[in-house]
Amino acid sequence: MSRIGTIARRSFLIGTAAIAGGVAFGVYYAKKGVANPLSPRDGEATLNPYVLIDRQGVTIIAPRAEMGQGTRTTLAALVAEELDVAWEEIRVLHGPPAQAYYNGAIGAALLPYPEYRLTDLQRRIGGGLGVVGKAMSLQITGGSTAMIDGFKKMRHAGASARETLKEAAAKRLGVARASLKTENGRVIAPDGTELAYVDLAPEAAGIDPPKVGLRPSSDWKYLGKSMPRVDMVGKSTGTAVFSIDVRPEGLKFAALRRSPYLGGGMTGFDAGAAETMPGVDRVVDMGDGIAVVASNTWLAMQAAEAVEVDWAPSPHPATMADISARLAAALDGEANSEMRSDGDADTVPEGATLVEEEYHMPYLAHATMEPMNATALYTGDSLTIWAGTQAPIIARDKAATEVGLTPGQVTVYTTLMGGGFGRRNEYDFVVHAARLAKAMPGTPVKLTWPREEDMTHDFYRPIAMARYRGAVRDGRAVMLDGQVATQSVGRQAGGRMMGMEPGGPDKSSVEGAFDQPYAIPSYRLRAYLADLDLPVGFWRSVGSSFNAFMFDSFLDEMAHAAGADPLEFRHAMMKDEHAPSAGTLAAVREMSGWTGQTPDGVGRGVGFCFCFGTPVATVIEVKDEDSGIRIDRAWMACDVGTALDPSIIEAQMFGGLIFGLSAACFGEITFTDGAVDQLNFPDYDALRMHNAPKVEVRVLETNAHMGGVGEPGTPPGMSALANAIFDLTGKRARSLPLMHEFDLLA
């Protein structure tokens, strides 16, 4: 990792994503090359920002963070596919903070249209928004965009490097480049002469890369197949380095403690008892709390609890009833957006049956398995940070401001992460480490958040409330009118991370509801932003994480009101609107043997959500047992368009489902006097091995465009489970978590 510096050396034109950006933002800027941030040492050569070659072989630089989702493996496969290197010899590192690693796919998500029915022109405009990511150096892992962004970009990097190496070989052998071929890290001449990449790299580094096209999918060796994960050995043997494992020489360990009353300050503290504990070095005033520096993390945590602190009250509403009242008041006010308005949703069609219901969703924490932490070393004129961050440039710049340095004086090493789910897009944990490091100049300090600190100072999945009206006639939905009240993640996070709060219609508040592929004659969705300022942020699947449950549960209620089979009710409205989505429903119908009938003691429910470009349908089966309701089986079908690594996609869908079911069953964050009531996993449980379902996943590839895989598996399982429990018990869940109303197997 240490070999990757930040000194610009060569420029690199990043393929079609940047070129497409010229459509809307200026061809010159879009085509303008970006600096190669790799600074090779003696014996190393870089051919572009993604390929580094030394005597040990080829290292591929992954621009996105690895937090268990397999992104390093597939990003490496994209480069290796064109570069012709042996898979088992590939090494993969995370790139440094650099504009070269911007995410060009993030911008496309800003388009205010349902993604499933984007026109070609709208997609080109969305591609053009990629240049926003370039201009703002958005090196962000999020939005299920890693493969969509890297699909052409990374292959261009591999193809460019391959042809540059061939050009170096052609010059050495005095033959035409076209006469050469490549295989397993070697260039092969017509007479059988073989030249290793490691031998050619120093010469190749001085050659301007030739223009080259990409291989057709019919020639792929790695893509489309399940590859061994590049992080498998390290994680299986315990040698993989996460942020929590970083141990620079002379390291001290620290624990953070801040006000339990969110937004409340600290009026004073007495560190006398803590400072007498053997092994405690210092108690540091962090401004909004204290940190204890000690010889180990456990001691630091114990000492932090021994500090007597006077906390100021929280400025936020004191009770959940107060918060709910703010949501209800928002719904009675003026809408922020009307992202979809088909037909006449004010009028109930003649002869139709009216259905009206209200739904509630709680705040949720991220609860990453690896606690939030970062290590920092401040020397007066430099700052070095080791952290598992999804946004290293933002983290670097915020840390620089915190300690009064320039970004160029800050080095960030991005480690593996024990889960992210959107939490590590935030920079607060890095800034706190930098603040503490400045108080301990010359000493590297690892600042760890105790689980209680993490649980009570998160940027939460926002609370939400929805009112739905719908009408059914002749077995079909003829009208659907939804109103959703929540807090805006985009506005809060945009203000924090980018320094600007986007105005206008708030898409994230209604995604997962306004953008679903159903042909309903009158279909309207409106968002209402509540007068609340509790900290909220990106949580896996963002707005779809709460809207899918409310929207899809209401569809289920409409199906029953129409006397229709819930799966066929959805499929009938979808098959002529978006065939790939209908295909996922057909797949889970076949996989589960869905008949619409279940025996006594068994319930089945279906859920569906289109988000992040991928439709996912889920069927859940539950059983009534003596020990409670067991989530017995689950069938999932997704259509990702192009499946780059089927096993990783299956794992992501599986993991997303378990993540969503855990939240549906047990997840909630509540507040009393502005303080979070849940402190640790005993208060914020998840599915375990004994109560998780047996899951079967099918990956389809009929979608015309590549979709994301990290987040789409989470939303539909929540409604599928609630619908299954309704089938079992006859009782409808209109709020989560389910543990409050049902006897679940815990």
Side-chain angles (χ1 to χ4, degrees):
M1 191 187 307
S2 59
R3 73 176 122 198
I4 300 175
T6 57
I7 303 172
R9 182 171 177 275
R10 300 177 65 194
S11 292
F12 178 67
L13 179 61
I14 298 177
T16 55
I19 295 170
V23 174
F25 291 93
V27 173
Y28 169 75
Y29 192 85
K31 286 189 173 182
K32 183 181 177 183
V34 293
N36 184 346
L38 305 182
S39 180
R41 300 176 304 189
D42 289 344
E44 298 176 339
T46 68
L47 304 184
N48 56 55
Y50 302 98
V51 178
L52 183 147
I53 301 176
D54 61 15
R55 296 306 305 174
Q56 283 68 52
V58 175
T59 297
I60 292 173
I61 309 301
R64 302 290 165 257
E66 176 62 67
M67 41 195 164
Q69 79 277 41
T71 189
R72 280 192 180 184
T73 299
T74 308
L75 289 173
L78 288 166
V79 177
E81 189 66 73
E82 294 285 346
L83 185 55
D84 281 336
V85 291
W87 180 255
E88 59 274 15
E89 296 177 2
I90 291 173
R91 294 167 296 165
V92 185
L93 294 176
H94 192 281
Q99 185 192 30
Y101 305 122
Y102 76 90
N103 188 334
I106 286 281
L110 301 175
L111 291 176
Y113 310 111
E115 185 170 354
Y116 78 88
R117 61 180 185 183
L118 288 177
T119 65
D120 289 342
L121 175 60
Q122 290 169 334
R123 287 190 179 277
R124 285 198 294 274
I125 293 173
L129 291 173
V131 78
V132 174
K134 181 181 179 182
M136 301 182 69
S137 298
L138 294 180
Q139 187 183 356
I140 289 176
T141 303
S144 296
T145 56
M147 297 310 135
I148 299 170
D149 173 67
F151 182 54
K152 292 183 179 178
K153 184 188 296 183
M154 301 295 284
R155 286 189 295 148
H156 272 294
S160 171
R162 181 195 70 225
E163 292 303 310
T164 306
L165 289 160
K166 285 171 65 177
E167 184 66 26
K171 290 180 182 295
R172 184 185 294 187
L173 298 174
V175 300
R177 174 163 58 92
S179 69
L180 302 174
K181 64 178 183 180
T182 52
E183 185 176 334
N184 289 337
R186 310 178 79 81
V187 178
I188 303 172
D191 65 357
T193 301
E194 296 189 4
L195 298 173
Y197 286 177
V198 296
D199 295 327
L200 293 167
E203 296 167 56
I207 297 174
D208 286 336
K211 293 183 178 179
V212 59
L214 298 175
R215 289 170 171 162
S217 59
S218 57
D219 290 346
W220 288 350
K221 293 185 300 183
Y222 301 138
L223 300 176
K225 298 178 182 176
S226 298
M227 301 302 299
R229 289 184 54 151
V230 297
D231 54 351
M232 181 170 58
V233 173
K235 290 180 177 176
S236 300
T237 59
T239 57
V241 178
F242 294 77
S243 180
I244 203 78
D245 299 316
V246 170
R247 295 287 191 276
E249 186 175 355
L251 180 67
K252 292 290 185 179
F253 300 84
L256 181 67
R257 184 181 169 205
R258 290 180 296 162
S259 172
Y261 306 105
L262 276 179
M266 179 178 68
T267 59
F269 67 91
D270 180 355
E275 289 173 337
T276 62
M277 296 172 70
V280 171
D281 292 295
R282 280 189 62 185
V283 177
V284 179
D285 184 344
M286 298 287 281
D288 59 352
I290 56 98
V292 173
V293 182
S295 56
N296 64 71
T297 300
W298 176 248
L299 174 60
M301 291 179 179
Q302 298 302 303
E305 287 301 313
V307 177
E308 296 182 6
V309 188
D310 295 324
W311 304 114
S314 170
H316 301 298
T319 68
M320 293 308 298
D322 294 337
I323 292 173
S324 295
R326 300 274 186 98
L327 291 173
L331 286 174
D332 295 331
E334 186 173 339
N336 165 265
S337 73
E338 187 172 287
M339 301 288 287
R340 187 161 184 164
S341 182
D342 300 340
D344 177 13
D346 286 324
T347 304
V348 177
E350 185 176 349
T353 299
L354 180 66
V355 185
E356 296 180 284
E357 297 297 348
E358 186 173 287
Y359 302 86
H360 299 264
M361 296 290 278
Y363 287 107
L364 293 175
H366 294 82
T368 59
M369 189 55 69
E370 179 193 6
M372 305 306 292
N373 72 94
T375 299
L377 170 62
Y378 174 82
T379 64
D381 58 3
S382 71
L383 176 69
T384 303
I385 293 170
W386 295 262
T389 169
Q390 294 176 241
I393 290 180
I394 294 174
R396 179 199 63 188
D397 294 354
K398 297 291 185 182
T401 300
E402 175 67 27
V403 300
L405 297 176
T406 66
Q409 293 174 289
V410 180
T411 300
V412 175
Y413 294 115
T414 300
T415 65
L416 297 173
M417 303 171 205
F421 320 122
R423 176 64 180 92
R424 299 183 200 273
N425 268 319
E426 303 288 346
Y427 55 83
D428 54 332
F429 60 105
V430 175
V431 166
H432 274 90
R435 186 181 306 167
L436 178 60
K438 189 174 183 180
M440 302 278 294
T443 300
V445 186
K446 177 186 296 300
L447 182 62
T448 299
W449 297 32
R451 177 63 64 188
E452 290 77 6
E453 184 71 17
D454 182 12
M455 193 78 74
T456 56
H457 295 86
D458 201 346
F459 295 95
Y460 302 98
R461 197 288 305 275
I463 195 170
M465 173 181 177
R467 292 172 182 162
Y468 275 99
R469 296 174 67 247
V472 295
R473 186 176 62 196
D474 301 327
R476 296 175 63 97
V478 292
M479 188 270 281
L480 187 151
D481 185 18
Q483 298 172 275
V484 179
T486 186
Q487 291 184 243
S488 172
V489 171
R491 291 190 175 191
Q492 261 209 23
R496 278 195 305 269
M497 298 169 68
M498 308 305 299
M500 60 181 185
E501 190 174 286
D506 192 75
K507 182 180 178 181
S508 67
S509 295
V510 286
E511 62 185 3
F514 88 97
D515 49 1
Q516 297 306 292
Y518 293 107
I520 301 174
S522 297
Y523 182 168
R524 180 171 65 185
L525 247 302
R526 289 171 287 178
Y528 298 75
L529 300 185
D531 179 23
L532 292 167
D533 196 31
L534 284 97
V536 296
F538 299 105
W539 191 89
R540 195 173 189 173
S541 73
V542 199
S544 296
S545 72
F546 51 84
N547 275 310
F549 172 80
M550 299 189 290
F551 179 90
D552 201 53
S553 293
F554 186 67
L555 274 189
D556 214 70
E557 300 210 47
M558 293 178 74
H560 284 276
D565 176 273
L567 192 153
E568 301 304 330
F569 180 77
R570 292 170 172 81
H571 189 268
M573 296 188 294
M574 189 183 289
K575 59 184 177 62
D576 295 328
E577 185 74 4
H578 191 239
S581 293
T584 64
L585 278 173
V588 293
R589 177 175 55 199
E590 187 271 328
M591 293 164 67
S592 65
W594 178 280
T595 63
Q597 304 296 319
T598 51
D600 289 344
V602 176
R604 280 190 171 189
V606 62
F608 173 88
C609 183
F610 183 108
C611 64
F612 300 93
T614 298
V616 179
T618 303
V619 167
I620 300 278
E621 180 175 283
V622 296
K623 289 185 176 179
D624 190 8
E625 299 184 348
D626 292 341
S627 51
I629 297 174
R630 172 185 292 279
I631 310 171
D632 194 49
R633 300 194 65 181
W635 297 267
M636 305 179 73
C638 60
D639 196 330
V640 299
T642 300
L644 296 178
D645 190 313
S647 290
I648 285 179
I649 295 170
E650 289 175 14
Q652 282 295 285
M653 291 295 153
F654 194 146
L657 173 71
I658 298 300
F659 195 78
L661 292 179
S662 294
C665 291
F666 309 116
E668 68 172 342
I669 291 293
T670 58
F671 298 87
T672 300
D673 294 331
V676 174
D677 298 316
Q678 294 74 24
L679 303 180
N680 209 319
F681 286 120
D683 308 318
Y684 195 85
D685 207 352
L687 290 183
R688 315 295 180 94
M689 295 292 286
H690 74 280
N691 57 2
K694 180 180 179 181
V695 181
E696 181 181 345
V697 179
R698 183 176 296 178
V699 180
L700 307 177
E701 296 184 85
T702 73
N703 206 345
H705 304 278
M706 182 185 292
V709 301
E711 297 170 271
T714 295
M718 300 186 192
S719 53
L721 174 59
N723 296 334
I725 291 177
F726 173 75
D727 185 48
L728 176 71
T729 67
K731 183 179 180 180
R732 178 68 68 179
R734 298 191 179 93
S735 64
L736 297 181
L738 298 166
M739 65 179 181
H740 292 313
E741 296 187 75
F742 301 94
D743 181 19
L744 304 174
L745 178 62

